[in-house]
Amino acid sequence: MTDDLRSHIDEAMTLAAAQLGKGRVADYIPALAKVDPAKLGFALALPDGTVHASGDADEPFSIQSVSKVFTLALALRRVGSDLWTSVGREPSGSAFNSVVQLESEQGIPRNPLINAGAIATTDRLIDGRAGDAVAEEIVDFMRARAGDDRVEIDFDVAFSESETGARNRSLAHFMDAFGNLTHPVETVVGVYFRQCAIAMSCRQLARAGLFLAMEGRDPFTGEQIVEAHRARRINAIMMLCGHYDNSGEFAFRVGLPGKSGVGGGILCIAPGQGSIAVWSPALNEAGTSLAGAVALEHFAYAAGWSVFD
Ligand code: GLN
């Protein structure tokens, strides 16, 4: 089994490497524009503690929107189902930073994995506390899930996001105007920019996602991170909304819940089997790593991993 997985990873990496040179690195956040588009990393974390890593799997990258999965888990832990009064659970079919639906839907974002929805989720997670304390809670959570204290916020990226964050601020102000923000805009986006700027390697990220593959339980610490029904629902949201208006295509090609970020990372959950993180910075038009999605597609196909079995 292990030998098979290794050869599936090798094959997937060869096919993904053939895609390098296609796609574009995100440049609307200047600090991300400097990343080498030829990077390619893959890590598969299994519940028994094994991690199969390949390529640039130990190099930290900006996890960006992949953070939204973890803040969703934290917000559900903190405020429970009441979160769903602030954010919906429907695919948006539009760009990650789109403002259009917020107007017609009275400031309630479609889902927690688009920017507006993640900002609303972070607002609920703050829950009356200081922004700095919440940013610290998020980083501590990522360290604990990764089993690695070296996970850090990249403050250059956070600063760069804030400097160019007019659109995210607009989303926050828009929600505020509809009464769907409980803290000042700057407090909320201040936490949001920092969560997006967390830097992690594929190895750390794959390990961090494992609780979602194991019914909400971290197999390393034995801790129930979220209840099993919540883990399933987070996976359902990733499946339907994890790649913005590219979510259907990803579900069709990969068949597993995933979440992409404009740093080029994708976290992919194979329920009961393991957690996979890939990284390659050049993106398709929707903001999903081009080579990363190819690696996942081929690995899932070869391993026969799908939620539609
Ligand atoms: N920090 C990015 C933003 O807010 C996250 C977007 C993404 O990864 N899709 O624009």
Side-chain angles (χ1 to χ4, degrees):
M1 180 66 171
T2 296
D3 284 353
D4 284 352
L5 288 178
R6 174 44 64 190
S7 67
H8 299 330
I9 294 171
D10 293 344
E11 263 169 51
M13 287 294 275
T14 305
L15 289 161
Q19 302 295 316
L20 296 174
K22 296 186 192 159
R24 288 190 58 219
V25 173
D27 54 9
Y28 73 100
I29 300 171
L32 295 182
K34 298 187 228 152
V35 180
D36 176 2
K39 296 285 181 185
L40 177 63
F42 188 112
L44 163 66
L46 299 175
D48 68 357
T50 323
V51 177
H52 295 280
S54 180
D56 301 307
D58 287 299
E59 194 170 320
F61 60 89
S62 191
I63 67 168
Q64 292 294 317
S65 285
V66 182
S67 67
K68 293 168 180 171
V69 172
F70 296 92
T71 46
L72 171 60
L74 284 171
L76 283 168
R77 274 201 335 191
R78 185 145 187 114
V79 302
S81 303
D82 199 50
L83 177 68
W84 304 121
T85 59
S86 302
V87 61
R89 306 177 295 236
E90 289 296 340
S92 67
S94 51
F96 61 84
N97 55 6
S98 172
V99 77
V100 178
Q101 283 165 347
L102 271 185
E103 165 102 70
S104 54
E105 295 174 7
Q106 275 81 50
I108 306 289
R110 278 277 173 110
N111 68 69
L113 302 183
I114 50 174
N115 287 14
I119 292 167
T121 302
T122 295
D123 176 61
R124 297 300 304 272
L125 172 61
I126 294 172
D127 196 20
R129 297 176 291 167
D132 288 353
V134 178
E136 218 164 280
E137 178 191 49
I138 298 168
V139 177
D140 283 347
F141 184 66
M142 299 312 288
R143 287 181 179 147
R145 302 284 67 76
D148 194 334
D149 283 343
R150 291 171 300 178
V151 172
E152 297 283 1
I153 295 170
D154 180 333
F155 283 100
D156 285 344
V157 173
F159 181 75
S160 187
E161 279 217 53
S162 183
E163 289 282 283
T164 54
R167 190 177 263 268
N168 285 322
R169 283 190 178 84
S170 306
L171 294 170
H173 280 292
F174 221 84
M175 291 190 285
D176 191 28
F178 280 106
N180 191 26
L181 213 68
T182 55
H183 303 91
V185 166
E186 280 311 310
T187 305
V188 182
V189 296
V191 177
Y192 173 78
F193 293 144
R194 280 177 281 178
Q195 77 182 56
C196 289
I198 291 173
M200 292 173 80
S201 66
C202 290
R203 185 186 297 274
Q204 291 167 333
L205 192 57
R207 163 73 183 76
L210 210 42
F211 74 100
L212 290 171
M214 302 307 292
E215 305 232 287
R217 190 169 165 278
D218 185 326
F220 291 93
T221 64
E223 211 184 322
Q224 192 72 38
I225 306 303
V226 288
E227 292 137 285
H229 75 91
R230 290 233 153 95
R232 287 185 211 124
R233 285 165 168 173
I234 293 170
N235 286 334
I237 293 169
M238 289 172 79
M239 189 82 193
L240 291 169
C241 317
H243 314 273
Y244 324 109
D245 50 344
N246 196 220
S247 298
E249 180 70 12
F250 189 90
F252 179 84
R253 285 171 50 194
V254 182
L256 294 169
K259 180 73 202 89
S260 53
V262 291
I266 308 175
L267 174 66
C268 197
I269 304 299
Q273 309 272 19
S275 164
I276 308 160
V278 296
W279 172 51
S280 190
L283 311 173
N284 67 16
E285 327 70 60
T288 296
S289 170
L290 212 140
V294 168
L296 287 168
E297 178 179 3
H298 286 286
F299 175 79
Y301 186 82
W305 289 4
S306 165
V307 294
F308 302 109
D309 273 346

